[in-house]
Amino acid sequence: MTRRPRLVLLGALVFLVLSVVFGAEATGRLKTQGYDDPRSESSRAALVAAERKGASPNLVVVAQARGGSVDDPSVRSAGEGLTRHLAAQPQVSAVTSYWTGGAAELRGRDGHAAMLVAHVDGEGEQLAARVKQLREELTTPAASGTALTVHVGGTALADAELQDVSESDLKRAESFVLPGTLILLVLVFGSVVAAALPLLIGVLAVAGTLLVLSALGAVTDVSVFALNLTTALGLGLGIDYGLLIVSRFREELAAGYHPRNAAIRTVRTAGHTIAFSAATVSAALATLLVFPPYFLRSFAYAGIAVVVIAAVSAVTVLPALLTLLGTRVNAWPVPWRRRVHAGSGSRFWAGLARIVVRRPLIAALPVIGLLVVLAGPFAHAGFATPDDRALPVSASSRQTGDLVRGTFDMKGSSALTVVMTGAPSPSAQAEYTRRLSALPQVAQVVGPPAAGPGRLSVVPLVDPQSRAAQQLVHDIRASPVPAGTEVLVGGPSAVLVDAKATVGDRLPLALAVITLTTFLLLLGFTRSLLLPLKAIALNALSLAAVLGAMVWIFQTGHLHQLLDFTPGPLSTTMPVLLFCIVFGLSVDYEVFVLARIKEAHDAGQDNADSIVSGLAHTGGIVTTAGALLAFTLLSFGTSQVSLLQFFGIGAGLGVLLDATLVRGVLVPALMRLAGDLNWWAPRLLRRKEPSPAPRPPPAPARRCPPGRIAVRASVRTPVRTHAPARH
């Protein structure tokens, strides 16, 4: 890469252009939903019902009388006309209305509102376009008349609005994060050129991942929320890796090495660390592939792609660019930035490390106590599948959903679908229908022919996310079925029951995979048995603290006024997603710190001194990287979608805790307590490796070719042949 740097940069430019051109199609190929297992009973029920033209309602229309009751002649006439208008629309089927023989529960409790439910055919962008067009048509006076005020919602419209809002939030976050990150990097490096290099890696990672998602979206289901992870993780890890490379390169320049040799030495040290970091983060994200819902699998696709592209770019594009820049990496310095000695380490982090090493128990116990207290609320976590309440109150589907929940006894849009295979006799099916009608929390059972042959629609009296609704699913599945038939139960409550079962069943396997892969990778990196176990234990503790804080914020409802979200149970998939992402990022920072500690230990320093030296050289980098990544992640806390708020705030909090308290206090404290056991390993792993880059003595000018001046940490005045070197 340093021998043909211009060719490398040309290849990177071509890759960037292709990624931007073809990756722009990614948005149109991605989908919402994907929270359920396609092999679950609820998914099979939905598939069979759709084949029989009896799919569950996905469009809800609430019509409010502008005066009087919904039973007044003028209002009834307008309602019947609205029903006919909806039924006449193409791709609309299974229309049920209060005014055309629907159940009494389709009438609001106060008598001023009535409900219509229907199914709109299609999927993806096609379905989204249809339901948004229906929303516009049904709310016009031509459809509703002057006697009614019409609100349109349902799962199909909620999905469409969720995608629109998430895309707008992503654009706003990007417009805010990119310039903000550049400003922070300038403050960290004290040079505009040095600051722009990590951001370049982030841009390459984001653009390349969009290309990957566009290709995957053409052949499989990919969630639209993968775009948000792409932006956050792409910029975050790109900056992490770029920060590590640029910092080490400036350190090697200060030691007197020629720019090309400095770049090579940088890749042999920092590049080695990045390779292991990328492997551990990718392994953590690959654990999401254990879970069947494509919502989780999509984050694995995006995460692995962005990590690999960021790592490859950092060890190929940056060395080429740094070789060409040389000492100009410090060009365009900011005037207020204080000069520091490159390679000398941070006095603050060295001082903190000495305090922790001197009193490890006193330093560690308060931090462990804080993390345990934060983890406490997670013991009371509840779970649900996302619905319109993830949207802001200004969204049409959210307003309609609030009307249904507050005005009607019957949850018509949340009906359970009961599909019978085989051919039961009419009497057996009638008896089964009566049995279901007698179950608690059932408002109505709609049977054939209105619901289609072999299909029943069980309308609940309770919220579909409630425990009572979940118990109703279990009761239906436990009820005796007609002889010679198999019964499949679907619908929103059944999806929630199956989603919780899917996550619960696969969680032990996921934990085993992520623990084993992390242990093996860190074992190979550190050649120690204890350090990988310590890293896994600390990661588990910090993750428990993050999840407990998320329950306190999003389920209990603290900060809901500040963040403008609706408190409620956690999504079944989001804690799993948060676990894998934060775990991977925690190992990322663990590798950064351990790499420098191991380098010092291999160079002959004892356990305590190597801890101080390693933290002095990496504490500032890890904290800066964590702060920049947290800045990117926390920007999603301003989203209007509660799912994105949960992701951004949870991951941002996890990164901040890990980059400060865990890496700055707990890691050195526990390593000091372990002593020489940190470096014990079986004989097979005891092979002594030379330090990849021993620190040389101050280099004479003859190291550089004719016409160049060596850059040393002691240089304080500008050299006439070069721009001032700032470190």
Side-chain angles (χ1 to χ4, degrees):
M1 299 304 150
T2 60
R3 188 178 298 117
R4 299 287 186 270
R6 290 179 176 81
L7 184 60
V8 173
L9 296 181
L10 178 61
L13 179 61
V14 172
F15 174 75
L16 179 61
V17 171
L18 291 176
S19 298
V20 170
V21 171
F22 295 102
E25 301 176 1
T27 303
R29 294 177 175 177
L30 307 186
K31 301 178 180 180
T32 55
Q33 290 297 315
Y35 311 112
D36 56 328
D37 181 356
R39 293 168 293 184
S40 65
E41 181 177 331
S42 56
S43 297
R44 291 163 53 208
L47 182 61
V48 173
E51 291 173 350
R52 297 181 180 182
K53 305 296 183 184
S56 299
N58 59 3
L59 186 75
V60 177
V61 180
V62 175
Q64 293 178 302
R66 293 183 179 177
S69 167
V70 293
D71 296 315
D72 292 345
S74 60
V75 177
R76 176 171 288 278
S77 176
E80 292 172 349
L82 178 64
T83 304
R84 289 192 298 271
H85 184 87
L86 177 59
Q89 300 299 314
Q91 310 301 328
V92 174
S93 60
V95 178
T96 302
S97 167
Y98 168 72
W99 291 291
T100 57
E105 286 84 1
L106 286 172
R107 182 180 184 270
R109 286 189 294 268
D110 58 4
H112 297 302
M115 188 192 305
L116 301 83
V117 295
H119 177 79
V120 183
D121 296 332
E123 61 179 18
E125 284 192 329
Q126 184 186 56
L127 178 59
R130 286 174 180 169
V131 293
K132 285 190 282 188
Q133 182 179 358
L134 283 171
R135 178 187 59 190
E136 302 303 322
E137 291 182 1
L138 296 175
T139 54
T140 60
S144 59
T146 58
L148 295 173
T149 299
V150 175
H151 303 270
V152 181
T155 56
L157 184 59
D159 289 345
E161 292 182 327
L162 199 62
Q163 182 162 354
D164 291 341
V165 174
S166 64
E167 288 177 5
S168 65
D169 288 345
L170 180 61
K171 292 177 182 177
R172 186 179 69 251
E174 288 176 341
S175 64
F176 171 71
V177 165
L178 285 173
T181 300
L182 180 59
I183 292 172
L184 292 175
L185 283 170
V186 170
L187 294 177
V188 170
F189 279 114
S191 159
V192 175
V193 172
L197 298 180
L199 198 59
L200 171 63
I201 301 303
V203 171
L204 280 171
V206 171
T209 305
L210 289 179
L211 179 62
V212 173
L213 292 179
S214 179
L216 287 173
V219 297
T220 188
D221 293 331
V222 180
S223 172
V224 67
F225 292 111
L227 294 175
N228 302 90
L229 178 68
T230 297
T231 298
L233 207 57
L235 290 176
L237 285 179
I239 290 169
D240 280 3
Y241 296 158
L243 190 66
L244 194 63
I245 290 287
V246 174
S247 298
R248 190 63 184 246
F249 177 77
R250 298 171 87 188
E251 187 177 328
E252 298 296 344
L253 280 182
Y257 282 96
H258 182 273
R260 186 187 173 210
N261 292 333
I264 293 172
R265 292 175 60 83
T266 296
V267 176
R268 287 167 56 194
T269 52
H272 178 258
T273 301
I274 287 172
F276 269 93
S277 168
T280 53
V281 176
S282 297
L285 292 171
T287 307
L288 293 170
L289 296 173
V290 169
F291 299 93
Y294 74 76
F295 176 83
L296 291 176
R297 300 173 71 87
S298 300
F299 284 91
Y301 304 149
I304 294 172
V306 81
V307 170
V308 171
I309 295 172
V312 171
S313 300
V315 298
T316 57
V317 178
L318 273 187
L321 195 53
L322 291 171
T323 299
L324 294 177
L325 285 173
T327 57
R328 288 173 295 179
V329 70
N330 301 307
W332 297 358
V334 293
W336 62 85
R337 176 65 174 171
R338 182 177 59 88
R339 294 181 181 180
V340 296
H341 293 280
S344 61
S346 166
R347 292 183 179 179
F348 170 80
W349 288 103
L352 176 63
R354 291 191 185 96
I355 293 173
V356 172
V357 166
R358 191 177 301 118
R359 297 288 188 271
L361 276 178
I362 295 177
L365 288 178
V367 176
I368 294 175
L370 173 63
L371 296 179
V372 170
V373 170
L374 287 175
F378 189 63
H380 309 288
F383 300 97
T385 51
D387 59 12
D388 59 88
R389 282 168 284 194
L391 287 163
V393 293
S394 59
S396 173
S397 58
R398 170 63 187 274
Q399 294 174 355
T400 305
D402 288 342
L403 278 173
V404 171
R405 287 182 287 270
T407 306
F408 295 86
D409 291 326
M410 180 176 107
K411 312 303 178 185
S413 62
S414 305
L416 293 169
T417 303
V418 179
V419 181
M420 288 177 282
T421 62
S425 65
S427 60
Q429 183 160 312
E431 175 61 27
Y432 183 64
T433 301
R434 285 192 295 270
R435 191 180 301 123
L436 297 185
S437 300
L439 291 175
Q441 311 299 346
V442 173
Q444 180 189 31
V445 178
V446 181
R455 177 182 178 270
L456 302 175
S457 184
V458 181
V459 182
L461 286 168
V462 292
D463 188 289
Q465 306 282 11
S466 65
R467 291 184 179 179
Q470 297 175 55
Q471 184 58 48
L472 178 58
V473 174
H474 293 299
D475 292 343
I476 295 175
R477 288 176 173 174
S479 297
V481 301
T485 64
E486 179 189 5
V487 171
L488 302 174
V489 182
S493 300
V495 169
L496 172 57
V497 170
D498 291 341
K500 291 171 67 173
T502 296
V503 172
D505 292 343
R506 298 299 181 96
L507 192 57
L509 175 60
L511 292 176
V513 169
I514 199 171
T515 301
L516 181 61
T517 54
T518 301
F519 175 79
L520 291 177
L521 285 167
L522 288 180
L523 179 65
F525 181 69
T526 62
R527 299 190 179 276
S528 161
L529 281 181
L530 185 62
L531 292 179
L533 296 175
K534 181 266 302 175
I536 292 170
L538 290 183
N539 288 353
L541 179 60
S542 62
L543 275 165
V546 171
L547 292 173
M550 293 301 97
V551 172
W552 186 81
I553 294 173
F554 287 94
Q555 179 175 309
T556 309
H558 297 89
L559 307 183
H560 77 277
Q561 292 181 334
L562 176 64
L563 299 174
D564 193 22
F565 66 88
T566 301
L570 307 183
S571 167
T572 53
T573 54
M574 292 306 293
V576 175
L577 173 65
L578 196 62
F579 176 88
C580 292
I581 290 176
V582 175
F583 192 96
L585 294 175
S586 299
V587 177
D588 177 47
Y589 295 135
E590 180 80 10
V591 170
F592 283 13
V593 174
L594 289 181
R596 206 60 189 256
I597 294 176
K598 184 176 185 298
E599 185 176 327
H601 187 267
D602 290 347
Q605 296 186 20
D606 62 18
N607 183 63
D609 289 342
S610 63
I611 294 171
V612 173
S613 175
L615 200 62
H617 283 88
T618 60
I621 293 175
V622 168
T623 304
T624 300
L628 290 169
L629 178 54
F631 172 73
T632 303
L633 291 167
L634 290 173
S635 67
F636 291 106
T638 63
S639 172
Q640 300 178 77
V641 179
S642 60
L643 290 176
L644 295 181
Q645 290 180 317
F646 183 98
F647 164 71
I649 294 174
L653 176 62
V655 167
L656 287 178
L657 285 176
D658 192 83
T660 54
L661 295 179
V662 175
R663 302 304 147 206
V665 178
L666 290 185
V667 167
L670 295 185
M671 290 189 69
R672 179 67 177 91
L673 290 172
D676 291 337
L677 288 177
N678 287 315
W679 313 106
W680 183 88
R683 185 181 303 275
L684 182 65
L685 298 175
R686 290 181 192 174
R687 179 171 59 88
K688 179 67 176 178
E689 291 184 323
S691 177
R695 173 60 51 218
R702 62 184 175 82
R703 283 183 181 266
C704 299
R708 290 193 178 270
I709 303 296
V711 182
R712 297 189 186 182
S714 59
V715 175
R716 293 298 186 99
T717 56
V719 182
R720 186 174 61 181
T721 56
H722 292 281
R726 295 181 184 270
H727 304 297

